[in-house]
């Protein structure tokens, strides 16, 4: 493997890793507050990609209720990404209302939310299929305007071309990570989030409106899922209503690797998995999907507290 | 009702039981689809490569494959279970999801499993699918009977003790590791046996059998059916397998508006998902609870309980 290829793979790894990171942040935010996993997150990821596709003014295919329909207007990509992600955030709020709040108010076993959120995910994925069919959707070719397809990171004699899309993905993800870090550490609502994740009962005794905060967390989580879905859709394509499932699973590997509920850990683990995957040798590329899970399995056995975590003493 | 649906329902009930077994010892393992897939591959490879016969496939061979699949899954469960069962709660669930995914990627890429195409033309012991009921029904009854007995002997009691409070159970001299691994192995064996049978029923086997979705489906069977008695998973597995077909059948009932019939036919999985969500919200204990069983069947049981509960009171009266 020569230097050019290594550099190229490294940059690809950073791009895909940054998508894993922001997607996994959506899981981890919910986990840090509620100690449960939202299985509908993968479905929201898918939905986000479709929202952006629709807002770009692109036409749907021949199947489903929305066959051959398109919006009468078309938004520029940055705006479509933002509005698509906001809509995904709203879906996150709906998921909380339908699958999480009813169980929480009844004081049911938190385990049940795995199944109720799965039910919502099944409904969402099949709703997508019902509305727009199961075909592959590719974002319109001119979506990035007049930007070149690739940028050369090397010299003219030793070119290291990297797709512009990858650079955009990396940049968008980094902006989101920075904003989120500020939101959590620098604002009042972020402090409240930290307080609830530390101890929900005490936080509510101190006058923090836990229910509203949970709703906000789900909005944020859905927003992140929507952005991640759009970025993957932009980079590859929307591979049918089920394309969120494999990312949903990888996201689980990422958050465990980072330590469940650990925000910097999730970002680090996202990059780690992205990079390791992009350096899988070509002859083993079919096993690429197993890498994240092998790491997850090993991590759980040897260091269950996550990359950055500290061991917690089991209390009786 | 067609016999294929009936067989699917019975297989689903047993897969739900395979998840219920580790849950008896309080362990949320989602590894069943992995063992199910492995069992199916074992049967598929054995019957297409080694047990090549002319004419109908002997039932005895099928039973031998089921036994081999169960044994192999039991051994694998022992190897995986000892390190993995040190994990608790959601961490164990995630580790078992990782296990299922690793097996899936392996089966997609190995030569012996037929890669992405899978294995075709698995020989049939019967001329019609309905005859599989002669194996499926006894197998279900056998596993239900096994669990019924298990809950009433020392090992089952140990499982229950660990489920209630692992620390207290350990203090009473019950080995948590031994019992947790045993429960995990029993579930794996059942899933493997069902996989072997299923490979023959379906006639083909590939990497789409036993994926992450099925993990969660089985969990839905158990939790919606009811996780506090083994009847719950059986009912849940059967009901949730029949539900999409029921919706489809409903669409064919005449006199419905066209859009509604169309929605029932093509959007039935949307309804299915919503019903799963609503089912968890409205029946957090599941459809079948021990109390419900006691009310339905337990007149004798209740009388026995009354006798048991009156006796201590009598003792107290005497002492006073």
């Amino acid at each position: 493997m020569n230097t050019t290829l290594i550099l190229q793979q490294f940059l690809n790894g950073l791009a895909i890793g940054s998508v894993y990171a922001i997607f996994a942040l959506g899981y981890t935010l919910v986990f840090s507050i509620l100690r449960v996993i939202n299985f509908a997150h993968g479905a929201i990821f898918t939905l986000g990609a479709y929202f952006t596709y629709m807002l770009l003014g692109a036409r749907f295919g021949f199947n489903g209720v929305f066959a051959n329909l398109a919006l009468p207007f078309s938004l520029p990509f940055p705006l479509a990404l933002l509005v698509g992600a906001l809509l995904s955030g709203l879906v996150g709020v709906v998921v909380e209302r339908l699958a999480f709040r009813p169980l929480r108010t009844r004081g049911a076993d938190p385990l049940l939310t795995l199944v109720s959120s799965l039910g919502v995910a099944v409904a969402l994925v099949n709703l997508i299929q019902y509305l727009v069919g199961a075909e592959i959707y590719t974002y319109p070719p001119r979506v990035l305007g007049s930007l070149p397809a690739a940028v050369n990171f090397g010299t003219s004699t030793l070119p290291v071309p990297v797709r512009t899309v990858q650079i955009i993905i990396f940049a968008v993800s980094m902006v989101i990570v920075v904003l989120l870090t500020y939101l959590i550490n620098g604002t009042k609502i972020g402090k409240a989030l930290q307080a609830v994740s530390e101890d929900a009962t005490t936080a509510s005794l101190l006058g923090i409106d836990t229910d509203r905060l949970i709703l906000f967390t789900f909005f944020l989580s859905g927003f992140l899922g929507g952005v991640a879905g759009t970025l993957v859709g932009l980079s590859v394509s929307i591979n049918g209503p089920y394309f969120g499932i494999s990312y949903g699973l990888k996201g689980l590997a990422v958050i465990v690797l980072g330590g469940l509920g650990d925000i910097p850990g999730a970002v680090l683990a996202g990059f780690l998995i992205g990079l390791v995957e992009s350096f899988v040798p070509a002859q083993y590329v079919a096993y690429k999907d197993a890498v994240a899970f092998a790491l997850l399995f090993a991590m759980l056995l040897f260091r269950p507290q996550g990359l950055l975590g500290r061991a917690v003493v089991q209390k009786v | 009702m067609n016999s294929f649906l009936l067989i699917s329902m019975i297989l689903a009930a047993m897969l739900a039981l395979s998840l219920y077994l580790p849950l008896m010892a309080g362990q949320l393992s989602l590894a069943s689809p992995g063992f199910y897939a492995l069992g199916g591959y074992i049967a598929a490879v054995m019957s297409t490569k080694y047990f090549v016969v002319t004419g109908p496939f002997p039932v005895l061979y099928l039973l031998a494959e089921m036994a081999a699949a169960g044994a192999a899954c039991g051994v694998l469960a022992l190897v995986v279970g000892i390190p993995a069962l040190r994990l608790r709660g959601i961490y164990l669930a995630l580790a078992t999801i990782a296990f299922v995914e690793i097996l899936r990627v392996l089966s997609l890429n190995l030569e012996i499993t037929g890669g992405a195409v899978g294995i075709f033309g698995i020989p049939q012991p019967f001329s019609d699918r309905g005859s599989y009921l002669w194996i499926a029904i006894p197998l279900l009854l056998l596993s239900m009977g096994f669990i019924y007995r298990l809950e009433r002997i020392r090992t089952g009691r140990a499982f229950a003790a660990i489920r209630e409070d692992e620390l207290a159970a350990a203090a009473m001299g019950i080995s948590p590791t031994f019992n947790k691994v045993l429960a995990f192995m029993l579930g794996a064996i059942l899933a493997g046996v069902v996989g072997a049978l299923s490979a023959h029923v379906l006639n083909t086997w590939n990497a789409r059998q036993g994926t992450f979705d099925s993990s969660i489906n089985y969990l839905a069977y158990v939790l919606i059916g009811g996780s506090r008695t083994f009847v719950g998973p059986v009912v849940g597995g059967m009901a949730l397998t029949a539900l999409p077909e029921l919706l489809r059948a409903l669409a064919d009932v005449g006199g419905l508006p066209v859009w509604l019939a169309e929605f029932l036919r093509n959007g039935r999985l949307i309804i299915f998902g919503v019903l799963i969500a609503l089912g968890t919200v409205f029946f957090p204990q599941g459809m079948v609870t021990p109390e419900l069983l006691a009310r339905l069947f337990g007149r004798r049981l209740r009388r026995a309980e009354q006798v048991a509960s009156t006796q201590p009171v009598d003792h107290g009266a005497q002492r006073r």
Side-chain angles (χ1 to χ4, degrees):
Chain A
M1 215 192 243
N2 58 31
T3 333
T4 314
L5 199 59
I6 290 181
L7 197 60
Q8 221 166 7
Q9 294 294 58
F10 181 75
L11 294 172
N12 282 340
L14 280 186
I16 188 72
S18 60
V19 174
Y20 289 161
I22 53 170
F23 178 63
L25 281 175
Y27 269 130
T28 241
L29 279 172
V30 170
F31 189 88
S32 71
I33 303 284
L34 290 181
R35 306 280 141 197
V36 293
I37 285 174
N38 174 14
F39 270 130
H41 196 46
I44 293 177
F45 169 96
T46 315
L47 213 54
Y50 280 96
F51 278 142
T52 310
Y53 180 86
M54 186 179 77
L55 290 165
L56 285 168
R59 196 168 290 281
F60 287 115
F62 301 109
N63 294 310
V65 176
F66 288 173
N68 291 317
L69 289 181
L71 286 182
F73 56 91
S74 117
L75 297 179
F77 181 72
L79 206 56
L81 171 68
L82 188 67
V83 178
L86 287 173
L87 288 176
S88 312
L90 290 180
V91 176
V93 168
V94 172
V95 169
E96 200 275 330
R97 276 291 164 92
L98 285 181
F100 287 83
R101 175 167 300 186
L103 285 168
R104 204 168 56 245
T105 51
R106 282 155 197 251
D109 188 346
L111 201 68
L112 282 168
T113 54
L114 291 185
V115 174
S116 62
S117 63
L118 169 88
V120 174
V122 170
L124 282 179
V125 165
N126 286 290
L127 185 66
I128 296 175
Q129 180 154 357
Y130 187 71
L131 294 180
V132 302
E135 58 228 82
I136 296 175
Y137 287 103
T138 310
Y139 283 16
R142 302 303 304 161
V143 65
L144 296 175
S146 54
L147 291 176
V151 177
N152 187 1
F153 273 72
T155 57
S156 52
T157 46
L158 201 74
V160 183
V162 173
R163 288 173 66 206
T164 314
V165 172
Q166 312 281 65
I167 300 167
I168 290 174
I169 287 177
F170 184 71
V172 170
S173 310
M174 282 305 95
V175 169
I176 283 177
V177 169
V178 169
L179 286 179
L180 195 67
T181 313
Y182 170 73
L183 179 80
I184 285 169
N185 294 319
T187 64
K188 207 170 165 187
I189 198 159
K191 300 268 187 222
L193 279 175
Q194 287 184 23
V196 173
S197 98
E198 195 71 38
D199 186 336
T201 319
T202 311
S204 73
L205 286 176
L206 292 174
I208 294 172
D209 186 345
T210 331
D211 269 341
R212 251 183 56 202
L213 211 62
I214 290 171
L215 216 56
F216 177 71
T217 309
F218 271 85
F219 175 77
L220 213 56
S221 159
F223 183 90
L224 293 170
V227 172
T230 303
L231 292 179
V232 172
L234 177 68
S235 159
V236 198
S237 57
I238 307 176
N239 205 351
Y242 289 91
F243 100 125
I245 288 180
S246 62
Y247 285 89
L249 273 171
K250 280 237 182 90
L252 290 180
V254 172
I255 56 168
V256 174
L257 218 56
L260 286 175
D262 186 334
I263 288 168
V267 175
L268 194 66
F271 280 118
L272 184 74
I273 290 186
L275 285 173
V276 171
E277 278 189 357
S278 69
F279 279 105
V280 171
Q283 66 264 42
Y284 298 120
V285 80
Y287 292 96
K288 202 171 91 173
D289 279 343
V291 168
F293 298 103
L295 280 175
L296 185 161
F297 204 74
M299 181 60 117
L300 280 174
L301 298 187
F302 297 115
R303 208 180 148 74
Q305 68 270 35
L307 284 174
L308 303 176
R310 55 215 143 97
V312 179
V313 179
Q314 183 81 33
K315 286 180 219 156
V316 179
Chain B
M1 191 187 320
N2 70 36
S3 58
F4 182 64
L5 178 61
L6 200 57
I7 295 174
S8 308
M9 286 164 66
I10 292 170
L11 295 179
M14 284 191 284
L15 288 167
L17 284 179
S18 80
L19 209 116
Y20 175 77
L21 275 163
L23 212 56
M24 278 173 75
Q27 305 306 304
L28 174 62
S29 151
L30 299 177
S32 287
F35 293 113
Y36 170 74
L38 179 67
Y41 276 119
I42 288 173
V45 170
M46 280 172 81
S47 61
T48 53
K49 297 226 164 71
Y50 302 108
F51 289 167
V52 182
V53 290
T54 48
F57 192 73
V59 176
L60 210 60
Y61 283 6
L62 172 63
L63 296 178
E65 284 168 15
M66 286 160 65
C73 289
V75 172
L76 182 64
L78 184 66
V79 175
V80 175
I82 289 176
L85 287 163
R86 292 182 311 167
L87 300 166
R88 286 154 202 270
I90 194 79
Y91 288 89
L92 176 64
L94 292 172
T96 51
I97 288 177
F99 166 77
V100 171
E101 274 299 296
I102 291 170
L103 280 188
R104 187 182 68 86
V105 175
L106 278 180
S107 66
L108 259 177
N109 291 293
L110 291 179
E111 204 171 314
I112 189 163
T113 54
V117 185
I119 297 173
F120 280 100
I122 297 169
Q124 298 294 310
F126 308 113
S127 52
D128 64 318
R129 251 184 188 153
S131 304
Y132 277 112
L133 285 171
W134 291 107
I135 297 181
I137 291 175
L139 193 61
L140 176 65
L141 292 178
L142 197 70
S143 31
M144 285 174 75
F146 177 81
I147 294 175
Y148 178 82
R149 281 304 304 156
L150 181 65
E151 281 178 343
R152 276 154 190 81
I153 61 171
R154 179 188 281 265
T155 312
R157 303 266 190 215
F159 288 177
I162 293 171
R163 180 182 185 159
E164 293 305 323
D165 189 337
E166 189 175 326
L167 218 69
M172 303 285 285
I174 297 167
S175 160
T177 312
F178 175 81
N179 285 292
K180 276 152 66 172
V181 173
L182 182 65
F184 184 68
M185 277 176 72
L186 290 174
I189 292 170
L190 182 57
V193 171
V194 174
L197 179 59
S198 193
H200 281 275
V201 173
L202 294 178
N203 193 16
T204 129
W205 203 251
N206 53 43
R208 277 191 298 281
Q209 308 299 331
T211 56
F212 161 70
D213 320 14
S214 7
S215 306
I216 305 293
N217 277 341
Y218 304 165
L219 184 64
Y221 298 162
V222 175
L223 293 186
I224 289 184
S227 62
R228 285 160 60 222
T229 154
F230 70 93
V231 185
V234 173
V235 172
M238 290 191 166
L240 290 187
T241 310
L243 188 59
E245 298 310 310
L246 207 70
L247 292 174
R248 198 211 300 267
L250 212 60
D252 294 332
V253 174
L256 288 176
V258 178
W259 64 268
L260 186 62
E262 209 271 333
F263 183 70
L264 280 175
R265 210 170 290 122
N266 295 326
R268 63 181 194 283
L269 288 175
I270 306 175
I271 304 173
F272 180 64
V274 170
L275 286 178
I276 287 187
L278 291 180
T280 7
V281 171
F282 289 109
F283 299 97
Q285 302 282 336
M287 296 189 289
V288 184
T289 58
E291 292 78 32
L292 180 76
L293 288 181
R295 212 168 335 133
L296 289 178
F297 305 106
R299 191 167 296 160
R300 221 171 27 166
L301 199 125
R302 209 181 311 155
R303 203 174 297 142
E305 264 169 19
Q306 271 168 1
V307 172
S309 62
T310 47
Q311 269 170 350
V313 178
D314 286 348
H315 286 308
Q318 278 174 358
R319 238 181 282 132
R320 243 185 276 127

